Amino acid sequence: MQNAITLRRRRELITAGVLVALLIVLPLPFHDPYTRNLMILTLLYAALAQSWNILGGTCGQISLGHSLYFGVGAYVSTLLFVWHGVPPWFGMLAAAAVAGLLALLVGWPCFRLSGHYYAIATVVVQEIAYLLFLNWDDIGGASGVYVPFHGQSWLNLQFRTAKLPYFYVMLGFFALTWIAAWWIEGSRWGFSWRAVKDDVIAARSLGVRVFPSKMAAAAISGGLTGIGGAIFAQFVGYIDPDSILSGPLSILIALPAVLGGVGTLWGPLLGAAVLIPLRELSSTFLGSSGSGVDLMLYGALIMVVALWRPQGLVSLFQRGRNGSAS
Amino acid sequence: MKRLGLLATAAALALSVVPAFAADDVIIGVIYPLTGNSAPVGLDAKVAYDVTAEIINGTHAPLPMLMGKGGGLDKLGGAKIKLVYADSQNDPQKARAEAERLITQEHAVAVLGAYTSATAATISQVTDRYEIPFVNADSTSPSLSQRGLKWYFRTTPHDEMFSQAMFKFFADEGAKTGHKVTKIALFHEDSLFGTDSSNVQLKLAADAKIDVVADVKYRANSPSLSAEAQKLKAADPDAILPSSYTSDAILIMKAMHEIGYTPKAVMAQAAGFQESGFLAGVGPLSEGVFSRSSFALDAVKSRPAIEPVNALYKAKNNKDLNDNTSRQVTGLVVLADAINRAGSTKAEAIRTALIATNVPGNQTIMPWAGVKFDENGQNIEGTPVIQQVSGGTYHTVWPADVATQPAVWNVGK
Amino acid sequence: MQVALSGLLMGLIYALVAAGLSLIFGLMDVVNFAHGELMMVAMYAAFTLWQVSGLDPMIMLPLVALLMFGIGMAVYRLLIARALAVRFNKGMVQIFVTFGLAIFIRGAAQMVFGGEFRAVTGTALADRSWHLGGIFLPLPQLAAGFVCLLAFGGLYLIGRTEFGHALEATREDRDAVALIGIDRDRIFSLGWGLGAATLGVAGVMLAGFYYVSPNVGANFALIAYVTVALGGFGSLMGALVAGLLIGEVEAVTAQLLEPSLKQVGMFAIYLAVLMFRPRGLFGKI
């Protein structure tokens, strides 16, 4: 039994290695920035969904306010960069620390709530943060923050028009979140968190400390999401509360994991690979008509996938194998 | 400036030696919010740009304005303007990606946009990195032209220029009619537009020694604005200066009326107050409202092109040109003229021609002194007007040379 | 005084918008994330009827409520019943199915009505107020508040009928009711119809003084979720009390602090209450 699990986990690691190798060469034949931009966004949302999955999937706490950690991470690293010239690589660490701490701070009161009460509380906390940032003039308020361009450099993670470096940074970020998820799955933590997700009372009787489990999952999930925000700010060059700390973004962070497969290792990537290109392409090629068709398509896709494959798209690849990751 | 002019001539001469590709379409990328809350403005913009492109490209009786004779760009062998639209969804990230797509995939030689200032901010960063001209027809946040961008050109006046016009109007009216404005109240939404606008107004009020008796910053798209209306009523200023989009413009006028408050004057920072949805939505409550505007539909005497252009637009969209659509028409006309003068679709040549732009106001449909860019790419001759609603439509009341009616104070009192 | 009254009237509206949401949740543990969008549909229905007939939307109220009843049942049959039948991730599937529905409806509204802001004007009550000793009571809001109380009365009475008892029984134990001959599916779909119909009432009253646009639902939806969670999911009384509380807190915060922070006030109250009562004011522990 133990052997079978070890074998499966090793196989997953090898699959991941092969996939990363494929992803490294994937953007090379495509030279136009639009396609590369699409790939970068897909990886970004895959990584964010993977981070969300640690709390939402593995631990079963449906957070609908994750843009809070993304936005705060973006602000922390950007302000460090703009005010003090701190390179974003260090900014990312600070972003992870602040976002992780914030997740603990939010989790402390909210984890006492159950089910939908918890979900709505996360929305409300994020909304409060959004309103405060919008009215906080010292950090730009509604005007947002411009990231000044200091010339092409890896240290500052700034490139005039090149997209490839961002792709590899994003790939690295995705690999980081995947490894974190993979490691957690095999660790004692993963066991405890899944127990919390499946049945809180049974988990308690097994000696799982429920509250600390949720807190640890939240801190890791929030911290990773914060790193994503820091990279994104450098990539876009302009941040404001509306675009990085909003309710719709929170949903978009969770959506790839839900559609791809909640609590699975490959669900977030698969979900993002389907959802993000479809969303971007439909808004580019149908949205310019202004008729709302793109929104209808996007909404219909979510409904259809959620109903047709409630265990996620990843289940399409698991026929004959009963061992889904959760 | 003279040297730049010479440079432009030199560039034009140099390029005229090499004949441009005959009658190849000149592609211009156009980025607007076409879905979401700001979609109505973007959809109107689309019609305005289409009509303008038809005027520039088409065969018709010559219109009395810049690029009004039709037949395409004559210095490019009659090449036609072709517009490619993209939806920004009012999302800065999306606007950035679409700008890149238009430049690299659609091979746009220049970009037009963008309505909201947040999207203009990211588009302008892209165009500067790709070294493609960006003509910003209608975003008014002053900070946009203060970032030392090389490829950014803004034809519209910005909010500081607009607010200056308001205060000048107050002073002029005070001197002429004895109706003094000594205390004002600001009412603005918590967005980029609202905060920028109110910050400038606070500064200008201090300069003009006018008391700001209330500074009400509110949450955009609130379910109710009655508490905000209360604050305005309690302050009872000589004029309320709102900076709001359509939804909140409708709501605050209703909310003030509901608590029995008729303000002495409302002087709007255009935006929602200039939209047809506002006039239809509040009906008679809009009577007497002042608004700054960059457009004067009734200035037909001094701007002969207004009537024919408006007729073409109205035939397609069943409404008159307004503050936004008129600026969009002008943005495209100025850009097309620059490309034509450049005689080339090379980015550097277009930029040089844009820098050399010097169009007198009567060659446009705007009541402006003209179009002439400073070193930041800001049009310094875009002089705004003040308008007032009477009989359900806006009429120009200031400055005197384009006014069609005198200003009326204390309407409804 | 004026502030308190405005808050009270707004609070009644919030309560009515939240009532349908609370009803559906109490019945089947489903949070409808397309709640605001369904209300937007009701507002457009009211607006269109007014535009076509020229009659006050309030006269059309039964018609819109009936229409919404049908839409609510259809949504249940086509989507929710299926979402409840899935074997995996039930909680997430229902959240994201209703979320997908919300986006779909928004796109459809833009397609049919365009993105313009519209408003009902020139009706008998429009833009009129009662002036009582320094206090102004806007008639459309007053009427809305009155209708809201009627609707709550109606919901209370329905709760006492046989159908109401069946609802209650289904809420208590979903599986046992089948044994005593109650068709669970039918009760659920009627519950959705009823929930959507109250939303129809709210939409019509709101159309009397608020603008209509494809995104208008979002302005009210978050407040509705907060109202329901604050009152306690499934509690009608809770929705009413929480709605009034939130209306008052909003008005008072706007008066004391900057109005742009008024929603922070209502959200903070909500979080504070949840600290002490994790299932809301009237929620079953």
Side-chain angles (χ1 to χ4, degrees):
Chain A
M1 186 63 195
Q2 191 60 39
N3 247 347
I5 292 178
T6 328
L7 215 65
R8 190 183 48 114
R9 285 181 50 75
R10 192 170 301 154
R11 209 165 50 221
E12 269 161 0
L13 203 57
I14 293 167
T15 317
V18 172
L19 194 76
V20 167
L22 282 177
L23 284 175
I24 285 176
V25 293
L26 175 72
L28 296 180
F30 303 96
H31 289 286
D32 63 288
Y34 183 78
T35 312
R36 285 183 173 175
N37 184 59
L38 200 61
M39 292 175 181
I40 293 169
L41 286 182
T42 306
L43 275 180
L44 170 71
Y45 284 109
L48 292 176
Q50 193 76 270
S51 316
W52 178 89
N53 210 15
I54 291 170
L55 180 63
T58 314
C59 200
Q61 304 298 306
I62 305 178
S63 160
L64 297 178
H66 250 55
S67 72
L68 169 64
Y69 311 120
F70 185 78
V72 166
Y75 267 101
V76 166
S77 82
T78 302
L79 292 179
L80 283 175
F81 182 66
V82 175
W83 289 347
H84 303 295
V86 177
W89 296 101
F90 299 104
M92 267 179 229
L93 298 179
V98 174
L101 276 175
L102 195 65
L104 290 177
L105 216 65
V106 174
W108 183 71
C110 290
F111 281 137
R112 280 187 272 173
L113 310 173
S114 58
H116 295 295
Y117 287 96
Y118 172 76
I120 290 179
T122 57
V123 179
V124 166
V125 171
Q126 174 246 302
E127 201 65 22
I128 290 178
Y130 165 75
L131 290 171
L132 292 179
F133 272 66
L134 204 57
N135 287 285
W136 188 353
D137 293 334
D138 294 337
I139 57 161
S143 312
V145 186
Y146 292 101
V147 184
F149 188 65
H150 291 326
Q152 195 127 325
S153 115
W154 270 97
L155 179 67
N156 288 339
L157 210 51
Q158 289 190 322
F159 306 94
R160 185 169 295 282
T161 57
K163 290 274 167 275
L164 214 50
Y166 289 115
F167 178 85
Y168 290 127
V169 172
M170 230 37 123
L171 185 60
F173 174 46
F174 172 72
L176 175 72
T177 59
W178 191 90
I179 288 289
W182 180 84
W183 175 75
I184 286 166
E185 194 196 83
S187 72
R188 253 196 80 75
W189 281 8
F191 164 77
S192 310
W193 297 355
R194 281 194 298 279
V196 170
K197 177 192 180 184
D198 293 339
D199 190 337
V200 175
I201 297 162
R204 251 194 211 109
S205 68
L206 283 172
V208 172
R209 291 185 303 157
V210 173
F211 188 73
S213 293
K214 290 180 181 177
M215 291 290 266
I220 295 175
S221 176
L224 287 172
T225 310
I227 296 179
I231 302 173
F232 183 77
Q234 224 50 24
F235 172 57
V236 178
Y238 170 72
I239 54 172
D240 70 332
D242 268 314
S243 55
I244 59 163
L245 228 168
S246 68
L249 179 64
S250 292
I251 303 283
L252 204 57
I253 289 174
L255 212 45
V258 173
L259 297 186
V262 170
T264 65
L265 274 179
W266 296 108
L269 180 64
L270 187 62
V274 171
L275 188 73
I276 303 303
L278 196 115
R279 177 177 180 269
E280 294 294 311
L281 291 171
S282 72
S283 88
T284 294
F285 294 105
L286 298 171
S288 56
S289 70
S291 65
V293 185
D294 55 327
L295 290 180
M296 291 172 72
L297 248 175
Y298 179 51
L301 172 90
I302 296 169
M303 287 189 280
V304 167
V305 174
L307 287 177
W308 171 56
R309 284 276 145 190
Q311 67 276 56
L313 291 169
V314 82
S315 66
L316 291 173
F317 297 90
Q318 286 174 333
R319 219 166 292 152
R321 256 174 63 187
N322 57 355
S324 95
S326 67
Chain B
M1 230 35 220
K2 205 171 184 182
R3 199 189 283 167
L4 283 176
L6 275 176
L7 213 74
T9 330
L13 276 175
L15 283 159
S16 63
V17 181
V18 190
F21 273 101
D24 239 2
D25 281 351
V26 173
I27 295 164
I28 296 174
V30 188
I31 307 175
Y32 275 85
L34 298 169
T35 51
N37 247 334
S38 311
V41 178
L43 295 174
D44 282 351
K46 197 165 178 257
V47 180
Y49 282 124
D50 281 339
V51 166
T52 313
E54 269 168 42
I55 293 171
I56 295 169
N57 293 335
T59 45
H60 49 74
L63 301 185
M65 71 165 182
L66 193 65
M67 301 307 291
K69 64 181 182 337
L73 307 175
D74 54 3
K75 297 212 176 110
L76 280 152
K80 304 273 186 278
I81 293 280
K82 188 173 168 234
L83 302 175
V84 180
Y85 294 95
D87 179 12
S88 71
Q89 298 181 340
N90 196 12
D91 172 356
Q93 190 284 119
K94 186 87 192 144
R96 182 191 56 82
E98 290 296 321
E100 284 180 335
R101 183 178 67 86
L102 292 173
I103 292 169
T104 58
Q105 238 141 315
E106 306 286 351
H107 305 290
V109 302
V111 175
L112 272 165
Y115 186 48
T116 55
S117 295
T119 55
T122 51
I123 295 171
S124 62
Q125 284 178 331
V126 169
T127 51
D128 238 52
R129 290 190 189 181
Y130 281 86
E131 309 194 321
I132 290 284
F134 171 33
V135 173
N136 189 186
D138 46 12
S139 313
T140 53
S141 173
S143 61
L144 285 168
S145 55
Q146 292 160 2
R147 290 171 301 149
L149 294 176
K150 223 179 124 193
W151 297 84
Y152 177 78
F153 295 89
R154 171 153 66 181
T155 45
T156 178
H158 57 63
D159 284 332
E160 188 161 351
M161 301 162 80
F162 281 127
S163 293
Q164 275 164 352
M166 293 179 194
F167 286 88
K168 221 159 156 250
F169 165 71
F170 289 150
D172 279 8
E173 279 291 302
K176 202 173 86 189
T177 67
H179 190 97
K180 292 223 174 348
V181 172
T182 54
K183 46 178 191 166
I184 57 170
L186 307 184
F187 174 79
H188 59 98
E189 67 165 48
D190 53 357
S191 69
L192 175 60
F193 159 63
T195 41
D196 267 5
S197 162
S198 72
N199 284 342
V200 167
Q201 289 176 342
L202 280 176
K203 198 182 88 191
L204 291 173
D207 293 348
K209 306 222 167 11
I210 291 176
D211 269 353
V212 178
V213 289
D215 180 5
V216 180
K217 181 182 188 182
Y218 68 93
R219 175 88 199 94
N221 299 317
S222 279
S224 154
L225 289 176
S226 58
E228 288 80 348
Q230 286 288 336
K231 286 202 157 176
L232 294 174
K233 186 183 184 183
D236 194 31
D238 295 332
I240 295 173
L241 277 60
S243 309
S244 309
Y245 288 117
T246 315
S247 49
D248 298 317
I250 294 175
L251 213 54
I252 188 63
M253 292 306 286
K254 287 189 170 221
M256 289 194 294
H257 180 76
E258 280 158 6
I259 55 166
Y261 173 45
T262 311
K264 290 185 184 131
V266 173
M267 168 61 76
Q269 185 73 277
F273 285 86
Q274 285 277 0
E275 288 296 316
S276 55
F278 166 75
L279 293 174
V282 300
L285 296 184
S286 66
E287 208 64 9
V289 166
F290 291 103
S291 169
R292 62 83 168 162
S293 177
S294 38
F295 183 56
L297 183 63
D298 50 0
V300 289
K301 279 214 185 93
S302 54
R303 302 288 182 266
I306 290 179
E307 267 179 314
V309 175
N310 189 50
L312 288 169
Y313 175 78
K314 202 169 182 173
K316 280 218 170 159
N317 213 15
N318 202 24
K319 44 185 153 187
D320 288 315
L321 286 169
N322 65 10
D323 191 37
N324 287 322
T325 42
S326 62
R327 281 185 288 174
Q328 287 143 5
V329 168
T330 308
L332 177 52
V333 165
V334 167
L335 176 59
D337 166 61
I339 297 174
N340 194 38
R341 275 186 290 112
S344 153
T345 54
K346 293 267 183 307
E348 191 58 54
I350 298 173
R351 178 170 172 268
T352 312
L354 275 169
I355 291 172
T357 298
N358 190 358
V359 181
N362 61 11
Q363 283 289 298
T364 71
I365 59 170
M366 309 309 280
W368 300 343
V371 181
K372 194 173 182 181
F373 297 108
D374 67 7
E375 69 281 2
N376 289 318
Q378 172 62 43
N379 175 18
I380 42 172
E381 295 195 338
T383 41
V385 300
I386 302 293
Q387 298 190 307
Q388 186 176 28
V389 180
S390 76
T393 52
Y394 275 105
H395 297 276
T396 309
V397 296
W398 184 92
D401 57 327
V402 284
T404 55
Q405 284 186 3
V408 183
W409 294 84
N410 294 322
V411 176
K413 273 277 172 187
Chain C
M1 193 56 193
Q2 178 80 53
V3 174
L5 267 171
S6 303
L8 182 80
L9 289 176
M10 216 50 216
L12 282 170
I13 296 284
Y14 292 156
L16 187 58
V17 175
L21 190 67
S22 184
L23 186 90
I24 289 167
F25 182 90
L27 192 59
M28 61 192 87
D29 214 26
V30 165
V31 176
N32 174 18
F33 277 87
H35 196 69
E37 278 64 28
L38 284 178
M39 190 181 79
M40 177 260 286
V41 170
M43 290 176 78
Y44 267 116
F47 176 83
T48 309
L49 285 172
W50 165 78
Q51 208 175 28
V52 171
S53 70
L55 293 172
D56 195 304
M58 279 173 64
I59 300 171
M60 305 293 188
L61 198 145
L63 207 59
V64 176
L66 202 67
L67 173 78
M68 291 306 293
F69 190 88
I71 290 178
M73 296 229 306
V75 168
Y76 173 78
R77 295 253 178 229
L78 292 175
L79 291 175
I80 310 302
R82 284 163 214 245
L84 290 177
V86 303
R87 282 174 298 132
F88 303 90
N89 303 321
K90 206 176 270 186
M92 298 214 191
V93 167
Q94 71 96 117
I95 287 180
F96 287 95
V97 163
T98 53
F99 175 74
L101 178 66
I103 297 181
F104 182 84
I105 297 178
R106 228 179 283 161
Q110 170 148 17
M111 185 180 232
V112 177
F113 298 99
E116 295 278 357
F117 293 94
R118 291 157 195 274
V120 172
T121 49
T123 57
L125 296 183
D127 302 328
R128 293 181 54 184
S129 298
W130 261 350
H131 188 182
L132 295 170
I135 292 172
F136 289 85
L137 293 172
L139 289 186
Q141 277 95 319
L142 210 56
F146 183 65
V147 170
C148 164
L149 287 175
L150 280 183
F152 268 95
L155 286 174
Y156 176 74
L157 288 180
I158 288 175
R160 313 205 62 174
T161 61
E162 199 172 324
F163 169 63
H165 292 308
L167 274 183
E168 185 63 29
T170 316
R171 169 189 310 186
E172 295 290 328
D173 192 335
R174 277 179 220 195
D175 304 314
V177 289
L179 301 174
I180 54 170
I182 295 178
D183 179 356
R184 197 186 67 175
D185 216 37
R186 198 172 141 262
I187 295 293
F188 277 2
S189 90
L190 287 175
W192 265 83
L194 198 60
T198 59
L199 207 47
V201 176
V204 170
M205 298 319 293
L206 211 49
F209 58 93
Y210 206 76
Y211 55 85
V212 192
S213 87
N215 296 292
V216 73
N219 302 355
F220 289 87
L222 185 58
I223 294 176
Y225 301 129
V226 169
T227 308
V228 172
L230 178 59
F233 281 109
S235 164
L236 211 55
M237 192 61 194
L240 184 58
V241 172
L244 292 174
L245 182 64
I246 281 183
E248 283 304 323
V249 170
E250 179 186 27
V252 171
T253 325
Q255 204 62 27
L256 297 181
L257 298 174
E258 191 138 30
S260 57
L261 292 173
K262 67 185 181 183
Q263 291 184 345
V264 173
M266 67 166 105
F267 294 153
I269 286 286
Y270 159 80
L271 287 178
V273 169
L274 281 203
M275 288 309 96
F276 299 102
R277 295 192 62 87
R279 289 184 168 257
L281 292 170
F282 291 78
K284 295 189 187 77
I285 305 288

